[in-house]
Structure formats: structure tokens, C-alpha cells
Amino acid sequence: MKFKTRLATLLFTTTTAILAQEVAFEEYDLDNGLHVILHQDNAAPVVTTSVMYHVGAKDEDPSRTGFAHFFEHLLFEGTKNIERGEWFKIVSSNGGQNNANTTQDRTYYYEVFPSNKLDLGLWLESERLMHPVINQIGVDTQKEVVQEERRMRYDNSPYGRWQEQMGIHLFKKHPYKWQTIGSLEHLATASLEDFQNFNKTYYIPNNAVLVVAGDINITATKKMVKDYFGPIPKGATIERKHIEEDPITQTIKASYNDPNIQIPAVFAGYRTPKSTDRDAYILDMISTYLSDGKSSKLYKKLVDLEKKALQVFAFNISQEDYGTYIIGALPLGENTLPDLLTEIDEEILKIQNELISEKDYQKIQNKFENQFVNANSSISGIANSLARNYMLYDNTALINTEIEIYRSITREEIQAVAKKYLNKNQRVELEYLPGEQTGK
């Protein structure tokens, strides 16, 4: 049996090594500070153009939250050369697709086009950066869009506000205490000048990385990049605040009542190190061990065998300044939230007090090998990885080397990190309950 396990692992690793070919790229800076990353892959006639800006919810004024996410919407309104409402029509009529997303650390825009439309993708993103039109009609329109998004994803969605509540209690000083959706009141009371100033501060070439990936010619693409983005003036240097949280030294108990649910949930949240810290990678592996799939420890125990929970989950949210590690469950039948938390703690204690088995360790490694391959299996995925690794990790080459970090993690490190971070006196215990909104 051991031989079969080792043979299967060897075959998987060999296959992964064949699939996960090295991603070649070239990177450089324009005179205005825009960082450019080019990746050529002529296997299919498709190209992705993307721009990531180093601005997220954590960069907002505490009295003006929601701005970064708001701009994700607002900067599709139009430019001096793109009439209002025409952006998406231009993209779709040329066989393309586009989207954007925002986190607490960055904002990302991208287009996917047939490769003969590369110049169009570059023009669109240069227009967004150089000639955005930020006027009252656009702001008012997007306020309505964001209000509807808030209602749909947070206020009227089952369990829609658990992460918001966890952030409030885990972070007392740092801007991670609010979510990217921000406050609708802040957006409603903001002036047009507030929005224009936010744009001038953060949407500048020296706060961005442009990635062009796919069926391109490097020399020709460099010329187009220079032509479209070179004339954009460099912005003022951004002054960033580095806010440190006091350690959590005793359990923080909290509750929140959600009228959209009938089954309660319990969440345990731990404040963890920033995404570039080796311990953050180890916590990724711990979350996989505990709840990734039906064979994971928590699922097998609480859902499959003991039938005490409808659902269990554990995940590590890695971010630029701090991470958040979450474990939670929904009870089944007469089982209580404290009962579930006790069962979860038993599994954490096992990790803290003894090494996980070699078999479980190899299973985790196999899963991360598979995730590594899948993350870079498409041109748009590669573009995203290149931008993120440069901007948030200051190491673009991680697209090829990050898997080596996971491969190097030992069972002893998994035990040590569990002991270091996953303790009762270092967490928030959130009971998420049915009923009227009377959170405390």
C-alpha cells in the first residue's frame, strides 16, 4: 500500500512538472513610473491587457470608505474619447470581454481580445488612465449601482455580513476593519471633488502595473505601450500609512443577528501575518488540511461521521498588511454553536500537539501542485498572477517559484505555526444568529 501511494505521488508530481511549464516574461518601467510586464504565448490568437492599481479599501479616508470599489464601477463610465455608456459596447463589438475587481489592497481591470485587437485593449486602458470623465451624472449613476450591489450581496444575502462583522472585531486600528463595499452614507455625502481628488491621487502611472499577455510580438508591443502610455504624466508620490494593531491576548466574543438566515453559524477568526510572510503559506496548508474537500479532517469528523454540522470551512485570507484565518461551521439538529467550536478546537489541538501524518502531508502537497498548475492554465490567469506578484509581493518571478515555498514547508512547521497563531486567547468568536439586526 505504501508503494502504491508513493508511486501515485511520483506520477502526479511528474505530470505536474510537465504541465507547469515556466512562464517567460519581460518587465521594465516607463519614464512616468508605469511598470510593464510582457508575456508572449502564441499558442492561441488571444491577448489579455490588464492594469492593476495599488489602491484598495485600506487606502481610503475612514470618513470616505467604499471609494476604491466605487471607482471599479466609475471608471467604466467613459472618457474624453469614449462616450458615456459606450465602453462595454466597444469591447463586445470587437469580440472581447472585460471586467474589474477590488480588494482591500488593489484594484484590477482587464480585457481579453482576439490578438489582432491588442491596440484596442491598450487604448482603452490608456484612456481610463489619461482621460477619465468624472462628473456628477456618472457619480450619481454608480451610486445607485453600488447601493443595489450592497443590498444584493450584503444586506439581503444569507450570511452576507459575517465577514464585515469579523473585520470590525479583529481590527481596531487598521483599515481592514471595513469591507471594500464601504459605507453607503460615506458615498452619499461625498462631493464630486472628493471623487476627483481620489482619482488624481491613486490612478496614476507610477501607482500601476500594466500586463500584456498572450499572442503578441514583444518588439511591436513595446512600441504600442510607449505610444499609448508614455505621454501620461507621472503623479505625485503617494504617502502610505502603516498602521499596526495591538496583539489579541484574550478571546473576543461577539454576536450578530441576520434576518436573512434560519440556521445559525459560528466563526472563529484569528489575525495572522501578511501574505509575504512564510507563516501565511503554512496557514494556507493548515486550512487545506482542515476543510478542503470531503476527506478533510473537519468535514469527515463533523459532517460525515458525527453528523453534527451541515457545513464546515477553514480558509486563510492573505493580505498585504495582515492576514485573517477563519474557521467556522453550521450546526445540524440540536447541536449548539459552542459544541461545534469545541469539536473544531479538538482538531486544532491535534495539529498543535502532534505531527500530521506523512500521508496527509503528501495529499496537501498534491493539492497545492494542482492549484499551482490551474492558476496559470489560461492567459488571463497568467496576467493576473504577474500583476499580483509584482504589486503585492514585489517578486514577479513567484509565478514560477511560489510552488517551491509550499514544497519546502515541513510537518514540523505546520505544527509550530498552529501553536503560534491558532489559540483561543488570540481570536474572535462570532455567533452569527437568525433574527433582527442587533449586532454587538
Side-chain angles (χ1 to χ4, degrees), residues 30 32 34 49-51 53 75 78-82 87 109 111 118-133 199 203-205 210 224-233:
L30 296 184
N32 57 16
L34 178 69
T49 56
S50 67
V51 180
Y53 294 90
L75 292 186
T79 73
K80 290 181 181 178
N81 298 304
I82 301 173
W87 188 290
Y109 301 86
E111 293 83 26
L118 169 60
D119 59 336
L120 177 59
L122 292 172
W123 177 71
L124 286 168
E125 289 303 333
S126 66
E127 275 292 300
R128 193 197 310 273
L129 184 54
M130 181 185 280
H131 297 133
V133 172
N199 181 77
Y203 281 82
I204 52 178
L210 165 70
M224 283 189 278
V225 168
K226 184 177 181 180
D227 289 344
Y228 284 119
F229 290 89
I232 303 173

mmCIF file of all heavy atoms in Angstrom, residues 30 32 34 49-51 53 75 78-82 87 109 111 118-133 199 203-205 210 224-233:
data_model
loop_
_atom_site.group_PDB
_atom_site.id
_atom_site.type_symbol
_atom_site.label_atom_id
_atom_site.label_comp_id
_atom_site.label_asym_id
_atom_site.label_seq_id
_atom_site.Cartn_x
_atom_site.Cartn_y
_atom_site.Cartn_z
ATOM 1 N N LEU A 30 8.364 52.516 -17.658
ATOM 2 C CA LEU A 30 8.355 53.709 -18.493
ATOM 3 C C LEU A 30 8.873 54.888 -17.683
ATOM 4 O O LEU A 30 8.968 54.826 -16.452
ATOM 5 C CB LEU A 30 6.933 54.004 -18.986
ATOM 6 C CG LEU A 30 6.268 52.970 -19.901
ATOM 7 C CD1 LEU A 30 4.898 53.487 -20.363
ATOM 8 C CD2 LEU A 30 7.151 52.645 -21.106
ATOM 9 N N ASN A 32 7.442 57.521 -16.869
ATOM 10 C CA ASN A 32 6.443 58.063 -15.942
ATOM 11 C C ASN A 32 6.190 57.152 -14.741
ATOM 12 O O ASN A 32 5.307 57.426 -13.926
ATOM 13 C CB ASN A 32 5.125 58.345 -16.674
ATOM 14 C CG ASN A 32 4.558 57.109 -17.362
ATOM 15 O OD1 ASN A 32 4.960 55.988 -17.084
ATOM 16 N ND2 ASN A 32 3.614 57.338 -18.274
ATOM 17 N N LEU A 34 5.227 53.893 -14.819
ATOM 18 C CA LEU A 34 4.380 52.736 -15.072
ATOM 19 C C LEU A 34 5.244 51.494 -15.233
ATOM 20 O O LEU A 34 6.167 51.461 -16.041
ATOM 21 C CB LEU A 34 3.546 52.949 -16.342
ATOM 22 C CG LEU A 34 2.636 51.775 -16.741
ATOM 23 C CD1 LEU A 34 1.495 51.615 -15.747
ATOM 24 C CD2 LEU A 34 2.097 51.966 -18.161
ATOM 25 N N THR A 49 -5.036 42.335 -21.859
ATOM 26 C CA THR A 49 -4.419 43.573 -21.392
ATOM 27 C C THR A 49 -5.027 43.882 -20.030
ATOM 28 O O THR A 49 -6.248 43.857 -19.869
ATOM 29 C CB THR A 49 -4.689 44.748 -22.352
ATOM 30 O OG1 THR A 49 -6.099 44.904 -22.533
ATOM 31 C CG2 THR A 49 -4.041 44.503 -23.694
ATOM 32 N N SER A 50 -4.192 44.148 -19.060
ATOM 33 C CA SER A 50 -4.701 44.401 -17.715
ATOM 34 C C SER A 50 -3.863 45.449 -17.013
ATOM 35 O O SER A 50 -2.670 45.588 -17.287
ATOM 36 C CB SER A 50 -4.712 43.109 -16.887
ATOM 37 O OG SER A 50 -3.396 42.651 -16.642
ATOM 38 N N VAL A 51 -4.520 46.176 -16.120
ATOM 39 C CA VAL A 51 -3.829 47.162 -15.293
ATOM 40 C C VAL A 51 -4.271 46.969 -13.854
ATOM 41 O O VAL A 51 -5.464 46.929 -13.558
ATOM 42 C CB VAL A 51 -4.123 48.607 -15.737
ATOM 43 C CG1 VAL A 51 -3.379 49.593 -14.829
ATOM 44 C CG2 VAL A 51 -3.707 48.822 -17.193
ATOM 45 N N TYR A 53 -3.921 48.650 -10.092
ATOM 46 C CA TYR A 53 -3.563 49.861 -9.360
ATOM 47 C C TYR A 53 -3.383 49.518 -7.886
ATOM 48 O O TYR A 53 -4.168 48.761 -7.312
ATOM 49 C CB TYR A 53 -4.664 50.921 -9.512
ATOM 50 C CG TYR A 53 -4.815 51.425 -10.922
ATOM 51 C CD1 TYR A 53 -5.687 50.795 -11.810
ATOM 52 C CD2 TYR A 53 -4.083 52.515 -11.387
ATOM 53 C CE1 TYR A 53 -5.827 51.244 -13.113
ATOM 54 C CE2 TYR A 53 -4.225 52.976 -12.684
ATOM 55 C CZ TYR A 53 -5.093 52.331 -13.548
ATOM 56 O OH TYR A 53 -5.224 52.779 -14.849
ATOM 57 N N LEU A 75 -14.980 54.087 -13.309
ATOM 58 C CA LEU A 75 -14.055 54.269 -14.418
ATOM 59 C C LEU A 75 -14.430 53.477 -15.664
ATOM 60 O O LEU A 75 -13.644 53.368 -16.605
ATOM 61 C CB LEU A 75 -12.625 53.943 -13.971
ATOM 62 C CG LEU A 75 -12.050 54.946 -12.962
ATOM 63 C CD1 LEU A 75 -10.590 54.653 -12.669
ATOM 64 C CD2 LEU A 75 -12.204 56.381 -13.455
ATOM 65 N N GLY A 78 -16.826 56.334 -18.865
ATOM 66 C CA GLY A 78 -16.431 56.951 -20.125
ATOM 67 C C GLY A 78 -15.216 57.840 -19.962
ATOM 68 O O GLY A 78 -14.743 58.090 -18.844
ATOM 69 N N THR A 79 -14.695 58.313 -21.090
ATOM 70 C CA THR A 79 -13.521 59.184 -21.097
ATOM 71 C C THR A 79 -13.768 60.322 -22.083
ATOM 72 O O THR A 79 -14.842 60.412 -22.699
ATOM 73 C CB THR A 79 -12.259 58.406 -21.521
ATOM 74 O OG1 THR A 79 -12.313 58.145 -22.938
ATOM 75 C CG2 THR A 79 -12.136 57.081 -20.764
ATOM 76 N N LYS A 80 -12.770 61.151 -22.253
ATOM 77 C CA LYS A 80 -12.913 62.242 -23.221
ATOM 78 C C LYS A 80 -13.161 61.721 -24.628
ATOM 79 O O LYS A 80 -13.787 62.403 -25.461
ATOM 80 C CB LYS A 80 -11.657 63.117 -23.206
ATOM 81 C CG LYS A 80 -11.488 63.944 -21.941
ATOM 82 C CD LYS A 80 -10.246 64.807 -22.016
ATOM 83 C CE LYS A 80 -10.069 65.630 -20.734
ATOM 84 N NZ LYS A 80 -8.832 66.455 -20.777
ATOM 85 N N ASN A 81 -12.664 60.517 -24.913
ATOM 86 C CA ASN A 81 -12.788 59.958 -26.260
ATOM 87 C C ASN A 81 -13.714 58.746 -26.337
ATOM 88 O O ASN A 81 -13.874 58.155 -27.406
ATOM 89 C CB ASN A 81 -11.403 59.566 -26.788
ATOM 90 C CG ASN A 81 -10.485 60.763 -26.909
ATOM 91 O OD1 ASN A 81 -10.798 61.734 -27.575
ATOM 92 N ND2 ASN A 81 -9.340 60.708 -26.227
ATOM 93 N N ILE A 82 -14.315 58.365 -25.204
ATOM 94 C CA ILE A 82 -15.278 57.263 -25.177
ATOM 95 C C ILE A 82 -16.551 57.799 -24.536
ATOM 96 O O ILE A 82 -16.558 58.149 -23.355
ATOM 97 C CB ILE A 82 -14.751 56.056 -24.369
ATOM 98 C CG1 ILE A 82 -13.440 55.546 -24.976
ATOM 99 C CG2 ILE A 82 -15.795 54.942 -24.334
ATOM 100 C CD1 ILE A 82 -12.771 54.461 -24.144
ATOM 101 N N TRP A 87 -18.403 52.031 -23.377
ATOM 102 C CA TRP A 87 -17.223 51.188 -23.095
ATOM 103 C C TRP A 87 -17.509 49.718 -23.407
ATOM 104 O O TRP A 87 -16.781 49.070 -24.167
ATOM 105 C CB TRP A 87 -16.802 51.356 -21.636
ATOM 106 C CG TRP A 87 -15.507 50.683 -21.304
ATOM 107 C CD1 TRP A 87 -15.262 49.347 -21.223
ATOM 108 C CD2 TRP A 87 -14.261 51.326 -21.046
ATOM 109 N NE1 TRP A 87 -13.952 49.111 -20.912
ATOM 110 C CE2 TRP A 87 -13.318 50.307 -20.801
ATOM 111 C CE3 TRP A 87 -13.858 52.658 -20.981
ATOM 112 C CZ2 TRP A 87 -11.981 50.573 -20.482
ATOM 113 C CZ3 TRP A 87 -12.529 52.932 -20.664
ATOM 114 C CH2 TRP A 87 -11.604 51.907 -20.425
ATOM 115 N N TYR A 109 -8.232 45.875 -13.475
ATOM 116 C CA TYR A 109 -9.063 45.974 -14.676
ATOM 117 C C TYR A 109 -8.420 45.133 -15.778
ATOM 118 O O TYR A 109 -7.187 45.107 -15.898
ATOM 119 C CB TYR A 109 -9.136 47.421 -15.178
ATOM 120 C CG TYR A 109 -9.700 48.415 -14.201
ATOM 121 C CD1 TYR A 109 -8.887 49.029 -13.251
ATOM 122 C CD2 TYR A 109 -11.049 48.774 -14.231
ATOM 123 C CE1 TYR A 109 -9.399 49.953 -12.351
ATOM 124 C CE2 TYR A 109 -11.567 49.703 -13.339
ATOM 125 C CZ TYR A 109 -10.730 50.288 -12.405
ATOM 126 O OH TYR A 109 -11.232 51.209 -11.514
ATOM 127 N N GLU A 111 -9.030 43.308 -20.024
ATOM 128 C CA GLU A 111 -9.764 42.977 -21.240
ATOM 129 C C GLU A 111 -9.129 41.737 -21.869
ATOM 130 O O GLU A 111 -7.907 41.564 -21.805
ATOM 131 C CB GLU A 111 -9.707 44.109 -22.277
ATOM 132 C CG GLU A 111 -10.434 45.372 -21.885
ATOM 133 C CD GLU A 111 -9.588 46.263 -20.997
ATOM 134 O OE1 GLU A 111 -8.342 46.187 -21.080
ATOM 135 O OE2 GLU A 111 -10.174 47.017 -20.204
ATOM 136 N N LEU A 118 -5.135 43.955 -30.050
ATOM 137 C CA LEU A 118 -4.264 44.369 -28.949
ATOM 138 C C LEU A 118 -4.229 45.881 -28.793
ATOM 139 O O LEU A 118 -4.297 46.406 -27.677
ATOM 140 C CB LEU A 118 -2.843 43.838 -29.167
ATOM 141 C CG LEU A 118 -1.759 44.395 -28.243
ATOM 142 C CD1 LEU A 118 -2.073 44.095 -26.783
ATOM 143 C CD2 LEU A 118 -0.391 43.850 -28.632
ATOM 144 N N ASP A 119 -4.118 46.587 -29.906
ATOM 145 C CA ASP A 119 -4.046 48.047 -29.817
ATOM 146 C C ASP A 119 -5.298 48.639 -29.192
ATOM 147 O O ASP A 119 -5.240 49.647 -28.478
ATOM 148 C CB ASP A 119 -3.782 48.669 -31.193
ATOM 149 C CG ASP A 119 -4.855 48.318 -32.218
ATOM 150 O OD1 ASP A 119 -5.524 47.270 -32.046
ATOM 151 O OD2 ASP A 119 -5.024 49.081 -33.182
ATOM 152 N N LEU A 120 -6.449 48.000 -29.416
ATOM 153 C CA LEU A 120 -7.689 48.484 -28.816
ATOM 154 C C LEU A 120 -7.652 48.313 -27.304
ATOM 155 O O LEU A 120 -8.050 49.228 -26.559
ATOM 156 C CB LEU A 120 -8.895 47.733 -29.403
ATOM 157 C CG LEU A 120 -10.264 48.083 -28.818
ATOM 158 C CD1 LEU A 120 -10.575 49.562 -29.002
ATOM 159 C CD2 LEU A 120 -11.349 47.215 -29.452
ATOM 160 N N GLY A 121 -7.194 47.164 -26.828
ATOM 161 C CA GLY A 121 -7.091 46.944 -25.383
ATOM 162 C C GLY A 121 -6.164 47.949 -24.723
ATOM 163 O O GLY A 121 -6.471 48.490 -23.652
ATOM 164 N N LEU A 122 -5.042 48.230 -25.362
ATOM 165 C CA LEU A 122 -4.096 49.205 -24.816
ATOM 166 C C LEU A 122 -4.689 50.610 -24.831
ATOM 167 O O LEU A 122 -4.515 51.386 -23.883
ATOM 168 C CB LEU A 122 -2.791 49.164 -25.604
ATOM 169 C CG LEU A 122 -1.959 47.888 -25.445
ATOM 170 C CD1 LEU A 122 -0.789 47.891 -26.428
ATOM 171 C CD2 LEU A 122 -1.441 47.752 -24.018
ATOM 172 N N TRP A 123 -5.381 50.945 -25.899
ATOM 173 C CA TRP A 123 -6.002 52.269 -25.976
ATOM 174 C C TRP A 123 -7.047 52.448 -24.877
ATOM 175 O O TRP A 123 -7.096 53.498 -24.225
ATOM 176 C CB TRP A 123 -6.646 52.457 -27.351
ATOM 177 C CG TRP A 123 -7.378 53.768 -27.482
ATOM 178 C CD1 TRP A 123 -6.810 55.022 -27.561
ATOM 179 C CD2 TRP A 123 -8.800 53.955 -27.522
ATOM 180 N NE1 TRP A 123 -7.810 55.977 -27.661
ATOM 181 C CE2 TRP A 123 -9.027 55.357 -27.635
ATOM 182 C CE3 TRP A 123 -9.884 53.101 -27.484
ATOM 183 C CZ2 TRP A 123 -10.312 55.892 -27.706
ATOM 184 C CZ3 TRP A 123 -11.169 53.629 -27.559
ATOM 185 C CH2 TRP A 123 -11.369 55.003 -27.670
ATOM 186 N N LEU A 124 -7.887 51.431 -24.667
ATOM 187 C CA LEU A 124 -8.912 51.531 -23.634
ATOM 188 C C LEU A 124 -8.308 51.790 -22.263
ATOM 189 O O LEU A 124 -8.764 52.678 -21.527
ATOM 190 C CB LEU A 124 -9.741 50.239 -23.601
ATOM 191 C CG LEU A 124 -10.735 50.020 -24.740
ATOM 192 C CD1 LEU A 124 -11.252 48.585 -24.729
ATOM 193 C CD2 LEU A 124 -11.901 51.001 -24.646
ATOM 194 N N GLU A 125 -7.281 51.027 -21.910
ATOM 195 C CA GLU A 125 -6.688 51.209 -20.587
ATOM 196 C C GLU A 125 -5.919 52.519 -20.474
ATOM 197 O O GLU A 125 -5.874 53.130 -19.396
ATOM 198 C CB GLU A 125 -5.796 50.018 -20.229
ATOM 199 C CG GLU A 125 -6.552 48.733 -19.935
ATOM 200 C CD GLU A 125 -7.561 48.892 -18.802
ATOM 201 O OE1 GLU A 125 -7.368 49.750 -17.915
ATOM 202 O OE2 GLU A 125 -8.586 48.167 -18.817
ATOM 203 N N SER A 126 -5.324 52.983 -21.559
ATOM 204 C CA SER A 126 -4.644 54.280 -21.518
ATOM 205 C C SER A 126 -5.668 55.405 -21.392
ATOM 206 O O SER A 126 -5.417 56.414 -20.710
ATOM 207 C CB SER A 126 -3.775 54.483 -22.759
ATOM 208 O OG SER A 126 -4.555 54.581 -23.934
ATOM 209 N N GLU A 127 -6.828 55.234 -22.014
ATOM 210 C CA GLU A 127 -7.898 56.215 -21.885
ATOM 211 C C GLU A 127 -8.414 56.266 -20.443
ATOM 212 O O GLU A 127 -8.665 57.352 -19.903
ATOM 213 C CB GLU A 127 -9.053 55.861 -22.825
ATOM 214 C CG GLU A 127 -8.898 56.379 -24.233
ATOM 215 C CD GLU A 127 -8.999 57.891 -24.305
ATOM 216 O OE1 GLU A 127 -10.033 58.453 -23.919
ATOM 217 O OE2 GLU A 127 -8.021 58.529 -24.730
ATOM 218 N N ARG A 128 -8.562 55.109 -19.829
ATOM 219 C CA ARG A 128 -9.036 55.063 -18.445
ATOM 220 C C ARG A 128 -8.073 55.817 -17.523
ATOM 221 O O ARG A 128 -8.487 56.477 -16.588
ATOM 222 C CB ARG A 128 -9.148 53.604 -17.989
ATOM 223 C CG ARG A 128 -9.918 53.450 -16.678
ATOM 224 C CD ARG A 128 -9.690 52.093 -16.028
ATOM 225 N NE ARG A 128 -9.874 50.949 -16.884
ATOM 226 C CZ ARG A 128 -11.028 50.337 -17.102
ATOM 227 N NH1 ARG A 128 -12.133 50.786 -16.540
ATOM 228 N NH2 ARG A 128 -11.093 49.257 -17.887
ATOM 229 N N LEU A 129 -6.801 55.702 -17.840
ATOM 230 C CA LEU A 129 -5.778 56.335 -17.005
ATOM 231 C C LEU A 129 -5.575 57.813 -17.330
ATOM 232 O O LEU A 129 -5.413 58.640 -16.428
ATOM 233 C CB LEU A 129 -4.458 55.572 -17.183
ATOM 234 C CG LEU A 129 -3.252 55.984 -16.337
ATOM 235 C CD1 LEU A 129 -3.587 55.979 -14.855
ATOM 236 C CD2 LEU A 129 -2.083 55.041 -16.608
ATOM 237 N N MET A 130 -5.623 58.165 -18.597
ATOM 238 C CA MET A 130 -5.289 59.532 -19.003
ATOM 239 C C MET A 130 -6.493 60.467 -19.073
ATOM 240 O O MET A 130 -6.401 61.639 -18.691
ATOM 241 C CB MET A 130 -4.598 59.509 -20.372
ATOM 242 C CG MET A 130 -4.187 60.896 -20.872
ATOM 243 S SD MET A 130 -3.504 60.867 -22.557
ATOM 244 C CE MET A 130 -1.843 60.337 -22.252
ATOM 245 N N HIS A 131 -7.629 59.964 -19.524
ATOM 246 C CA HIS A 131 -8.755 60.851 -19.832
ATOM 247 C C HIS A 131 -10.073 60.464 -19.165
ATOM 248 O O HIS A 131 -11.134 60.549 -19.800
ATOM 249 C CB HIS A 131 -8.991 60.894 -21.359
ATOM 250 C CG HIS A 131 -7.862 61.447 -22.143
ATOM 251 N ND1 HIS A 131 -7.367 60.837 -23.285
ATOM 252 C CD2 HIS A 131 -7.108 62.561 -21.960
ATOM 253 C CE1 HIS A 131 -6.367 61.550 -23.769
ATOM 254 N NE2 HIS A 131 -6.188 62.604 -22.997
ATOM 255 N N PRO A 132 -10.093 60.026 -17.937
ATOM 256 C CA PRO A 132 -11.387 59.661 -17.344
ATOM 257 C C PRO A 132 -12.277 60.891 -17.172
ATOM 258 O O PRO A 132 -11.797 61.968 -16.844
ATOM 259 C CB PRO A 132 -11.003 59.069 -15.984
ATOM 260 C CG PRO A 132 -9.732 59.785 -15.629
ATOM 261 C CD PRO A 132 -9.001 59.954 -16.937
ATOM 262 N N VAL A 133 -13.555 60.690 -17.402
ATOM 263 C CA VAL A 133 -14.528 61.761 -17.161
ATOM 264 C C VAL A 133 -15.242 61.441 -15.851
ATOM 265 O O VAL A 133 -15.967 60.453 -15.756
ATOM 266 C CB VAL A 133 -15.543 61.887 -18.308
ATOM 267 C CG1 VAL A 133 -16.640 62.873 -17.934
ATOM 268 C CG2 VAL A 133 -14.838 62.319 -19.589
ATOM 269 N N ASN A 199 -9.189 60.112 -7.599
ATOM 270 C CA ASN A 199 -8.659 59.690 -8.894
ATOM 271 C C ASN A 199 -7.266 60.270 -9.135
ATOM 272 O O ASN A 199 -6.346 59.558 -9.563
ATOM 273 C CB ASN A 199 -9.606 60.127 -10.009
ATOM 274 C CG ASN A 199 -9.123 59.687 -11.374
ATOM 275 O OD1 ASN A 199 -9.248 58.541 -11.764
ATOM 276 N ND2 ASN A 199 -8.555 60.633 -12.117
ATOM 277 N N TYR A 203 -4.939 56.992 -9.282
ATOM 278 C CA TYR A 203 -4.968 56.473 -10.652
ATOM 279 C C TYR A 203 -3.930 57.209 -11.488
ATOM 280 O O TYR A 203 -4.243 58.040 -12.330
ATOM 281 C CB TYR A 203 -6.380 56.575 -11.219
ATOM 282 C CG TYR A 203 -7.260 55.467 -10.708
ATOM 283 C CD1 TYR A 203 -7.873 55.569 -9.457
ATOM 284 C CD2 TYR A 203 -7.426 54.290 -11.418
ATOM 285 C CE1 TYR A 203 -8.645 54.529 -8.952
ATOM 286 C CE2 TYR A 203 -8.198 53.248 -10.923
ATOM 287 C CZ TYR A 203 -8.796 53.378 -9.696
ATOM 288 O OH TYR A 203 -9.542 52.347 -9.189
ATOM 289 N N ILE A 204 -2.687 56.860 -11.220
ATOM 290 C CA ILE A 204 -1.523 57.477 -11.851
ATOM 291 C C ILE A 204 -0.584 56.357 -12.293
ATOM 292 O O ILE A 204 -0.591 55.257 -11.728
ATOM 293 C CB ILE A 204 -0.798 58.433 -10.874
ATOM 294 C CG1 ILE A 204 -0.481 57.727 -9.549
ATOM 295 C CG2 ILE A 204 -1.641 59.675 -10.617
ATOM 296 C CD1 ILE A 204 0.280 58.571 -8.545
ATOM 297 N N PRO A 205 0.220 56.599 -13.333
ATOM 298 C CA PRO A 205 1.060 55.516 -13.872
ATOM 299 C C PRO A 205 2.058 54.953 -12.869
ATOM 300 O O PRO A 205 2.349 53.752 -12.894
ATOM 301 C CB PRO A 205 1.760 56.169 -15.071
ATOM 302 C CG PRO A 205 1.604 57.632 -14.872
ATOM 303 C CD PRO A 205 0.334 57.832 -14.125
ATOM 304 N N LEU A 210 1.047 47.488 -15.739
ATOM 305 C CA LEU A 210 0.366 47.058 -16.960
ATOM 306 C C LEU A 210 0.916 45.698 -17.362
ATOM 307 O O LEU A 210 2.140 45.518 -17.448
ATOM 308 C CB LEU A 210 0.611 48.067 -18.084
ATOM 309 C CG LEU A 210 0.276 47.607 -19.511
ATOM 310 C CD1 LEU A 210 -1.229 47.476 -19.701
ATOM 311 C CD2 LEU A 210 0.876 48.573 -20.536
ATOM 312 N N MET A 224 3.807 49.983 -28.972
ATOM 313 C CA MET A 224 2.427 50.395 -28.700
ATOM 314 C C MET A 224 2.268 50.870 -27.257
ATOM 315 O O MET A 224 1.569 51.857 -26.994
ATOM 316 C CB MET A 224 1.468 49.235 -28.997
ATOM 317 C CG MET A 224 1.196 49.019 -30.469
ATOM 318 S SD MET A 224 -0.138 47.813 -30.763
ATOM 319 C CE MET A 224 0.771 46.284 -30.588
ATOM 320 N N VAL A 225 2.896 50.166 -26.335
ATOM 321 C CA VAL A 225 2.821 50.566 -24.927
ATOM 322 C C VAL A 225 3.393 51.964 -24.753
ATOM 323 O O VAL A 225 2.800 52.815 -24.061
ATOM 324 C CB VAL A 225 3.570 49.547 -24.040
ATOM 325 C CG1 VAL A 225 3.762 50.110 -22.628
ATOM 326 C CG2 VAL A 225 2.818 48.229 -23.977
ATOM 327 N N LYS A 226 4.516 52.223 -25.360
ATOM 328 C CA LYS A 226 5.137 53.546 -25.246
ATOM 329 C C LYS A 226 4.256 54.625 -25.880
ATOM 330 O O LYS A 226 4.085 55.721 -25.327
ATOM 331 C CB LYS A 226 6.513 53.543 -25.903
ATOM 332 C CG LYS A 226 7.255 54.862 -25.734
ATOM 333 C CD LYS A 226 8.655 54.793 -26.332
ATOM 334 C CE LYS A 226 9.392 56.105 -26.135
ATOM 335 N NZ LYS A 226 10.765 56.064 -26.713
ATOM 336 N N ASP A 227 3.675 54.308 -27.027
ATOM 337 C CA ASP A 227 2.834 55.288 -27.723
ATOM 338 C C ASP A 227 1.582 55.629 -26.912
ATOM 339 O O ASP A 227 1.185 56.794 -26.829
ATOM 340 C CB ASP A 227 2.423 54.755 -29.096
ATOM 341 C CG ASP A 227 3.591 54.709 -30.079
ATOM 342 O OD1 ASP A 227 4.613 55.361 -29.802
ATOM 343 O OD2 ASP A 227 3.470 53.997 -31.094
ATOM 344 N N TYR A 228 0.944 54.624 -26.350
ATOM 345 C CA TYR A 228 -0.312 54.841 -25.631
ATOM 346 C C TYR A 228 -0.116 55.347 -24.201
ATOM 347 O O TYR A 228 -0.894 56.184 -23.719
ATOM 348 C CB TYR A 228 -1.135 53.548 -25.602
ATOM 349 C CG TYR A 228 -1.826 53.233 -26.907
ATOM 350 C CD1 TYR A 228 -1.534 52.067 -27.609
ATOM 351 C CD2 TYR A 228 -2.787 54.089 -27.429
ATOM 352 C CE1 TYR A 228 -2.178 51.774 -28.809
ATOM 353 C CE2 TYR A 228 -3.434 53.813 -28.624
ATOM 354 C CZ TYR A 228 -3.118 52.652 -29.315
ATOM 355 O OH TYR A 228 -3.753 52.372 -30.506
ATOM 356 N N PHE A 229 0.895 54.842 -23.506
ATOM 357 C CA PHE A 229 1.038 55.150 -22.085
ATOM 358 C C PHE A 229 2.183 56.127 -21.784
ATOM 359 O O PHE A 229 2.177 56.759 -20.730
ATOM 360 C CB PHE A 229 1.259 53.855 -21.280
ATOM 361 C CG PHE A 229 0.056 52.982 -21.209
ATOM 362 C CD1 PHE A 229 -0.181 52.014 -22.184
ATOM 363 C CD2 PHE A 229 -0.861 53.113 -20.172
ATOM 364 C CE1 PHE A 229 -1.307 51.200 -22.125
ATOM 365 C CE2 PHE A 229 -1.985 52.306 -20.105
ATOM 366 C CZ PHE A 229 -2.210 51.351 -21.094
ATOM 367 N N GLY A 230 3.124 56.229 -22.686
ATOM 368 C CA GLY A 230 4.263 57.114 -22.441
ATOM 369 C C GLY A 230 3.911 58.563 -22.192
ATOM 370 O O GLY A 230 4.493 59.222 -21.324
ATOM 371 N N PRO A 231 2.925 59.139 -22.922
ATOM 372 C CA PRO A 231 2.587 60.561 -22.734
ATOM 373 C C PRO A 231 1.861 60.872 -21.423
ATOM 374 O O PRO A 231 1.686 62.050 -21.085
ATOM 375 C CB PRO A 231 1.678 60.853 -23.927
ATOM 376 C CG PRO A 231 1.962 59.781 -24.933
ATOM 377 C CD PRO A 231 2.271 58.576 -24.122
ATOM 378 N N ILE A 232 1.417 59.870 -20.685
ATOM 379 C CA ILE A 232 0.662 60.122 -19.453
ATOM 380 C C ILE A 232 1.614 60.651 -18.382
ATOM 381 O O ILE A 232 2.624 60.027 -18.084
ATOM 382 C CB ILE A 232 -0.027 58.836 -18.959
ATOM 383 C CG1 ILE A 232 -0.950 58.284 -20.057
ATOM 384 C CG2 ILE A 232 -0.816 59.106 -17.686
ATOM 385 C CD1 ILE A 232 -1.554 56.939 -19.734
ATOM 386 N N PRO A 233 1.327 61.794 -17.788
ATOM 387 C CA PRO A 233 2.255 62.376 -16.808
ATOM 388 C C PRO A 233 2.325 61.569 -15.511
ATOM 389 O O PRO A 233 1.340 60.978 -15.075
ATOM 390 C CB PRO A 233 1.673 63.774 -16.556
ATOM 391 C CG PRO A 233 0.244 63.674 -16.959
ATOM 392 C CD PRO A 233 0.171 62.667 -18.057
#
